[in-house]
Amino acid sequence: MATLSDIGVAAAINILSAFAFFLAFAILRIQPLNDRVYFPKWYLKGLRCSPLANGAFVSKFVNLDFRSYARFLNWMPAALQMPEPELIDHAGLDSAVYLRIYLLGLKIFVPIAFLAFTIMVPVNWTNNTLEHSGLTFSDIDKLSISNIPNGSLRFWTHLIMAYAFTFWTCYVLKREYEIVASLRLHFLASEQRRPDQFTVLVKNVPPDPDESISELVEHFFLVNHPEHYLSHQVVYNANKLSELVNEKKKIQNWLDYYQNKYERNPSKRPLLKQMGFLGLWGESVDAVDFYTAKTERLSRDISLEREKITSNPKSIMAAAFVSFKTRWGAAVCAQTQQCRNPTIWLTEWAPEPRDVYWENLSIPFVFLTIRRLIVAVAFFFLTFFFVIPIAIVQSLANIESIEKALPFLKPIIEVKVIKSFIQGFLPGIALKIFLLFLPTILMIMSKFEGFISLSALERRSASRYYFFQFINVFLGSIITGTAFQQLNNFIHQSTNEIPKTIGASIPMKATFFITYIMVDGWAGVAAEILRLKPLIIYHLKNFFLVKTEKDREEAMDPGTIGFNTGEPQIQLYFLLGLVYAIVTPILLPFIIVFFALAFVVFRHQIINVYNQEYESAAAYWPDVHLRIIVALIISQLLLMGLLSTKEAASSTPLLITLPVLTIWFHRFCKGCYEPAFVRNPLQEAMMKDTLERAREPNLNLKGFLQNAYIHPVFKSADDDKIDVVMEEWEEEPSLIATKRTSKRSTPLSSKHGRSSFSSPEANKERSKT
C-alpha cells in the first residue's frame, strides 16, 4: 500500500515530468521551424504567415531572441485572455462548451474541498480506529472515514456533508445546464446559414416495383410536404469507390515522393523493388514510372466504378437526403412521424456535411439491429476480460502481497527508492498503458454499429468508454485491490466479517487513484501540449513529401478535441471526486489541480491547434450532465453501503432520500433543458426564415444546397460534379406521366427526379387532380 512518502515520490516525479514537458514546449513553440505544428489553426484560417519566409538564414530555423526564452510560461495567461464569445466565433460552440466541463469541475470541487478539509478531515483524523483494527493501512488512511469507530455519532458529520455536497453539485449542474442551453439556442439563432438546417435524412424507404428510390422519395414528399419540399439526393453505396480513391491518394503520395527525389538528383532515376513488405525483394523498377502506371490504372478503375455505381439501381440505398425551402419545413419533417407504419419513412435531422460518416450510409437499415447486438456481446466480453490486466495493476500497488507470494524478490523490493517508485508511480502508468488502445477499439465498434455521423460515433464511443472505466478502472480497481490488500484478513476471518473488511478498505484505495490522477491528469495533460508525435510526423512529411504550400498544409495535423476519449476521462475524475469527497477527502486537491491545469492546456490547444471536424452546437451536453448525475448517485449508494458496514444504522435511512432527490432533480433538468438539445423550436425556425427572406429576398437556395450532400468520392480535382448524380435545376415544375399515374399525379421539376419546385400554378393543378 502506498504511504505518504510513496505519494511524495510519485508527486515529485509527475511534477518534474510536467515541468519538463512545459519547458520543452516553451522552447519548441517559439522556433520558426515548428510554427505550423503549434499554431496550425491560424494557418488553416489564413491568419498567420510562415516565419521562414523572412529574415536571415539562421533566424528562419532558430529563434535568436533570447528574451523570448525567459518568458517561457507566457502562453498560460495568453490562453486565458480570449473571451468566451470570441472563443465561440473562433473555435465553435462544441469546443467552448467542452472547456466548460473543466470549469464545472472547479466550480463543484473547490467549495467541496474547502468544507471537507475544514470539517471532515479533523473529524476523521482525531481517531485511532485503524491502529487497533488489524488492517493494513498507511498514514493517509487516517484521514478517511475508515478511521472512525463503528457506530460512532461522528457519522452524522458525514451524513450532513453528503446532503451539502449533493445540493451544491445539483445547484451547479442546474446553473450550468441553463447556461449551456442558452448558449446553444443563441448560437443556433445567430449561426450562418448551413445545409443541415434545411435538410432531413430519410431512412428505410419502402421498395416499390413501379418506381425507383429516387422517384419514390420525390413523389412521397411532393404529396406530403407540397409547400416546402425542394429537392433530394439519394444515398449511394460508394464504399468500394471510396477505397479506390483512398488508395490512389496513397499511391499519389509515393509518386510525389519519388518525383521530389528525382528532381533533387536528376542524374539518377530512383529505383524500387516491387515485391515484399516495403519492397524488400523482387526486380528493381523505375519508381516514378511504376507509381505513375499505378496511378493511371487506379484512375481508370475509379472512373469505371463511378459509372457502375451511378448506372446500377442496386447501388442506391433505401435512404436519401431531402432538402426543404425553409427551416420550418425541415423542422416539421424531422420531428414528426411521416407514415402510418412507424418503421418506414423514418426521418431525422441530417448531420452537417462535415459530420456525415459516409461509409455507414450504405448499411441496410435491417442489418443495424443485428450489428448492434453483435457489438453489445463483444463489448461485454471485452469489459469482462479486462479485469485480468486490472488485477495485474493492483498487484503492483500491493507490495506486501507480492512479497508473500514471491519472497525471493523481497530484498530488491524493500529498497526504499524502488518500493516508493513501484507503489507510487508504476501502478498509474501501467493502467494508462493498458488503456492506451481501448478508445480505438471502441471507435471501431461504434463504426460497426452503423452510426451515420462522426458526432454520433464519438458520443457512442464516449458512452461505452465511461461505462468501461466505471466497471474496470473504478470498481475493478477497488475490488481487486481490496482482495490483494486484505488477503490475509480474508483468509483468517469468517464470511460475515468480509463485507466489513471491504467497507473499511474501499476508502484506502484512494492512494491508488491519487497515483493514477498524477500520472494521467498531471503529466498526461502536460504531455498533451508538447504534441511530440505530430511534431515528428510533420517534419518527416515536410522533409520527404512536401513540395507545394498545399502539401505543407496537408502535412499539418491539428487534430481535434477527441470527445470520445477526453470526456469519459473527465467523467472518471468527477466520479472519483464525488465518491471520495466524503470517505477520503485527501483525493480532492489532486483532482482540483487536474481540472485547473487541463482547463489552461486545452484552452490553449483549442485556440491555437485543434480544428474541429464538425459542429454539433454542444449536442453532447445532456450526456455530460447525465454521467455526473450517475456519479453522484453512485457516491450516495456506496456511502450507504459503507455506513451499513460501519454499523451506523441511524444515519443510513436518511441517506435513502438522497438518490431519490437526485433522480428527481435529473428528471426536472431533463424536462426543462434537454428539449433545446434534441429538437429545433418551430418558432425559432420561422423567425430565422422570416429574417432571411427580408435580408436576402433573391436568395438562390437551390444553388446553396445543390452540392451539400453529394458523396465526396464523386468529386475530384478535375471533375467537380457527376452529371448523373447532380442535375441542373429547372425553373418551373411540370406534370409528367409515371407508371403510377392511375394512382396519383405529382409535379416533378426534373426528368431524373433530383429536384422540384412547387409553384402556385402546379399547386392548383395538383388540387384539381
Side-chain angles (χ1 to χ4, degrees):
M1 177 183 296
T3 63
L4 189 60
S5 62
D6 298 335
I7 297 297
V9 171
I13 293 174
N14 286 283
I15 290 174
L16 290 175
S17 300
F19 182 79
F21 289 137
F22 286 142
L23 184 61
F25 164 71
I27 295 173
L28 292 173
R29 71 186 285 268
I30 61 177
Q31 306 306 318
L33 199 64
N34 302 325
D35 202 60
R36 289 180 178 270
V37 178
Y38 293 110
F39 302 96
K41 191 162 193 171
W42 298 100
Y43 282 93
L44 294 175
K45 285 178 172 286
L47 300 176
R48 192 178 181 95
C49 297
S50 174
L52 299 178
N54 302 314
F57 178 77
V58 177
S59 62
K60 290 181 179 182
F61 302 96
V62 180
N63 189 343
L64 300 178
D65 182 9
F66 296 103
R67 290 175 298 178
S68 62
Y69 291 91
R71 301 188 299 269
F72 70 96
L73 290 179
N74 64 348
W75 62 270
M76 288 188 175
L80 300 174
Q81 287 177 357
M82 183 179 287
E84 187 174 63
E86 186 179 343
L87 181 65
I88 293 174
D89 292 337
H90 173 69
L93 187 63
D94 278 343
S95 299
V97 171
Y98 182 81
L99 290 173
R100 295 193 71 92
I101 305 177
Y102 295 106
L103 280 180
L104 179 64
L106 293 174
K107 291 176 182 178
I108 290 176
F109 289 117
V110 170
I112 286 179
F114 176 78
L115 286 177
F117 275 84
T118 55
I119 298 175
M120 295 179 58
V121 168
V123 171
N124 295 338
W125 178 261
T126 54
N127 290 278
N128 56 0
T129 303
L130 288 175
E131 296 177 0
H132 305 287
S133 64
L135 298 174
T136 304
F137 68 95
S138 67
D139 291 338
I140 294 178
D141 300 321
K142 293 181 180 180
L143 302 176
S144 72
I145 196 174
S146 298
N147 201 33
I148 296 180
N150 293 347
S152 174
L153 293 176
R154 296 193 178 201
F155 287 120
W156 283 98
T157 304
H158 300 81
L159 175 65
I160 295 172
M161 287 295 100
Y163 271 87
F165 294 171
T166 298
F167 289 157
W168 172 251
T169 302
C170 290
Y171 169 76
V172 175
L173 281 175
K174 177 186 177 299
R175 179 63 180 158
E176 201 67 20
Y177 213 151
E178 185 179 2
I179 292 173
V180 174
S182 177
L183 286 173
R184 173 180 167 85
L185 292 175
H186 177 74
F187 179 80
L188 293 176
S190 61
E191 192 181 21
Q192 296 297 320
R193 181 171 55 250
R194 294 196 324 188
D196 53 290
Q197 298 171 349
F198 300 88
T199 307
V200 168
L201 175 63
V202 56
K203 297 186 294 186
N204 212 22
V205 177
D208 191 290
D210 298 325
E211 294 181 332
S212 66
I213 294 292
S214 180
E215 294 170 336
L216 189 60
V217 169
E218 185 168 31
H219 288 166
F220 180 86
F221 284 95
L222 278 172
V223 169
N224 296 286
H225 298 268
E227 305 297 331
H228 300 282
Y229 168 76
L230 180 63
S231 65
H232 74 276
Q233 174 59 54
V234 294
V235 174
Y236 289 91
N237 183 354
N239 287 351
K240 184 177 180 181
L241 177 59
S242 181
E243 292 176 1
L244 292 173
V245 171
N246 292 334
E247 185 181 355
K248 182 183 176 182
K249 289 180 180 178
K250 295 178 182 178
I251 297 300
Q252 187 66 46
N253 285 337
W254 280 110
L255 177 60
D256 293 341
Y257 166 71
Y258 283 110
Q259 285 178 337
N260 290 340
K261 188 175 180 180
Y262 176 65
E263 290 173 1
R264 294 191 190 103
N265 187 12
S267 61
K268 183 179 180 181
R269 298 282 293 186
L271 302 176
L272 64 84
K273 295 181 179 180
Q274 56 181 321
M275 296 179 63
F277 177 70
L278 296 178
L280 296 178
W281 61 80
E283 182 183 357
S284 295
V285 296
D286 186 287
V288 175
D289 294 342
F290 176 76
Y291 283 111
T292 300
K294 290 193 71 172
T295 303
E296 293 175 352
R297 179 179 58 80
L298 284 171
S299 296
R300 291 193 297 270
D301 292 344
I302 289 172
S303 298
L304 292 174
E305 183 65 22
R306 279 178 175 172
E307 183 179 353
K308 178 182 177 181
I309 290 174
T310 54
S311 60
N312 185 5
K314 294 183 179 180
S315 297
I316 301 177
M317 308 305 298
F321 290 100
V322 180
S323 297
F324 294 82
K325 301 173 187 176
T326 62
R327 296 174 181 83
W328 188 91
V332 170
C333 181
Q335 298 166 179
T336 55
Q337 183 174 318
Q338 303 303 308
C339 181
R340 181 181 299 176
N341 184 349
T343 63
I344 60 175
W345 295 105
L346 305 178
T347 56
E348 61 183 71
W349 281 108
E352 65 163 320
R354 294 181 304 167
D355 193 19
V356 177
Y357 187 69
W358 296 96
E359 287 81 353
N360 282 353
L361 286 176
S362 62
I363 301 175
F365 183 80
V366 69
F367 293 156
L368 294 180
T369 303
I370 300 174
R371 283 171 168 254
R372 290 173 186 176
L373 177 62
I374 294 173
V375 170
V377 174
F379 181 68
F380 169 79
F381 284 104
L382 175 66
T383 305
F384 178 78
F385 285 110
F386 206 84
V387 174
I388 298 173
I390 292 295
I392 295 174
V393 170
Q394 286 303 320
S395 69
L396 295 175
N398 294 276
I399 297 296
E400 294 82 2
S401 301
I402 298 177
E403 291 177 349
K404 292 176 182 178
L406 303 171
F408 61 91
L409 293 177
K410 186 174 182 179
I412 301 175
I413 294 175
E414 284 299 324
V415 177
K416 187 174 181 180
V417 176
I418 297 178
K419 184 176 182 180
S420 297
F421 176 80
I422 291 176
Q423 290 190 318
F425 182 75
L426 195 57
I429 194 68
L431 182 58
K432 181 73 175 175
I433 293 172
F434 277 124
L435 294 173
L436 195 60
F437 300 102
L438 180 64
T440 303
I441 296 173
L442 296 180
M443 180 58 73
I444 293 173
M445 287 183 174
S446 298
K447 291 178 179 178
F448 183 79
E449 284 186 283
F451 292 98
I452 57 147
S453 66
L454 296 174
S455 57
L457 287 171
E458 291 200 337
R459 290 172 63 183
R460 182 65 166 181
S461 181
S463 177
R464 284 215 166 94
Y465 195 15
Y466 174 73
F467 181 78
F468 184 93
Q469 291 205 104
F470 169 69
I471 295 297
N472 282 301
V473 179
F474 181 68
L475 289 182
S477 296
I478 288 177
I479 295 172
T480 59
T482 301
F484 277 111
Q485 188 172 303
Q486 308 300 341
L487 185 60
N488 184 59
N489 291 325
F490 287 161
I491 294 174
H492 295 93
Q493 67 185 188
S494 64
T495 306
N496 295 333
E497 296 294 321
I498 290 179
K500 294 182 180 181
T501 301
I502 294 177
S505 301
I506 286 176
M508 299 180 188
K509 291 310 299 173
T511 54
F512 165 75
F513 289 118
I514 287 174
T515 63
Y516 178 73
I517 291 170
M518 288 189 291
V519 171
D520 180 71
W522 295 9
V525 168
E528 160 68 26
I529 202 169
L530 184 58
R531 307 195 75 230
L532 186 60
K533 180 181 176 181
L535 178 68
I536 295 173
I537 292 176
Y538 169 76
H539 284 301
L540 289 175
K541 288 183 176 180
N542 192 41
F543 183 79
F544 291 109
L545 298 177
V546 169
K547 64 176 181 177
T548 64
E549 193 65 23
K550 183 178 180 181
D551 294 337
R552 187 168 286 107
E553 286 187 4
E554 292 178 354
M556 292 188 302
D557 181 21
T560 62
I561 292 174
F563 180 82
N564 61 309
T565 57
E567 193 270 343
Q569 199 67 13
I570 302 172
Q571 292 297 340
L572 177 63
Y573 292 106
F574 276 106
L575 176 63
L576 294 176
L578 291 173
V579 168
Y580 281 97
I582 298 291
V583 298
T584 312
I586 191 64
L587 193 79
L588 294 176
F590 297 90
I591 291 179
I592 291 173
V593 171
F594 159 75
F595 279 117
L597 183 63
F599 175 74
V600 177
V601 167
F602 282 97
R603 205 173 203 273
H604 173 275
Q605 299 295 80
I606 284 173
I607 292 173
N608 298 301
V609 180
Y610 295 148
N611 186 40
Q612 194 65 7
E613 294 179 286
Y614 59 85
E615 178 60 62
S616 68
Y620 56 79
W621 189 260
D623 297 334
V624 175
H625 177 87
L626 175 61
R627 285 195 264 274
I628 297 177
I629 289 293
V630 170
L632 189 58
I633 295 174
I634 290 170
S635 69
Q636 296 160 357
L637 295 177
L638 288 178
L639 181 61
M640 289 172 56
L642 183 59
L643 291 181
S644 66
T645 65
K646 301 289 285 185
E647 300 178 3
S650 58
S651 59
T652 303
L654 294 176
L655 281 173
I656 299 176
T657 309
L658 278 180
V660 176
L661 291 176
T662 305
I663 293 172
W664 174 85
F665 166 76
H666 171 64
R667 293 179 63 86
F668 168 78
C669 290
K670 185 180 178 70
C672 287
Y673 306 117
E674 189 172 326
F677 295 86
V678 295
R679 292 192 290 271
N680 187 15
L682 295 181
Q683 183 184 26
E684 296 285 337
M686 179 61 76
M687 186 184 305
K688 199 159 186 179
D689 287 334
T690 303
L691 289 174
E692 190 171 72
R693 283 194 296 268
R695 293 172 181 171
E696 302 179 69
N698 298 321
L699 172 66
N700 181 16
L701 188 59
K702 297 177 182 180
F704 175 72
L705 297 173
Q706 186 174 7
N707 301 334
Y709 288 98
I710 300 297
H711 198 297
V713 297
F714 287 115
K715 303 176 183 179
S716 63
D718 57 349
D719 189 11
D720 291 333
K721 59 184 179 178
I722 303 299
D723 293 336
V724 181
V725 179
M726 297 158 45
E727 298 293 334
E728 292 294 331
W729 301 85
E730 293 186 358
E731 293 299 326
E732 295 294 337
S734 60
L735 287 174
I736 66 169
T738 70
K739 295 179 181 180
R740 305 183 65 179
T741 306
S742 60
K743 300 181 182 180
R744 62 170 178 258
S745 295
T746 55
L748 301 177
S749 67
S750 80
K751 58 185 178 181
H752 293 286
R754 297 294 175 230
S755 62
S756 84
F757 181 81
S758 185
S759 66
E761 291 78 13
N763 292 336
K764 292 179 182 178
E765 191 70 21
R766 183 173 58 254
S767 62
K768 293 179 182 179
T769 59

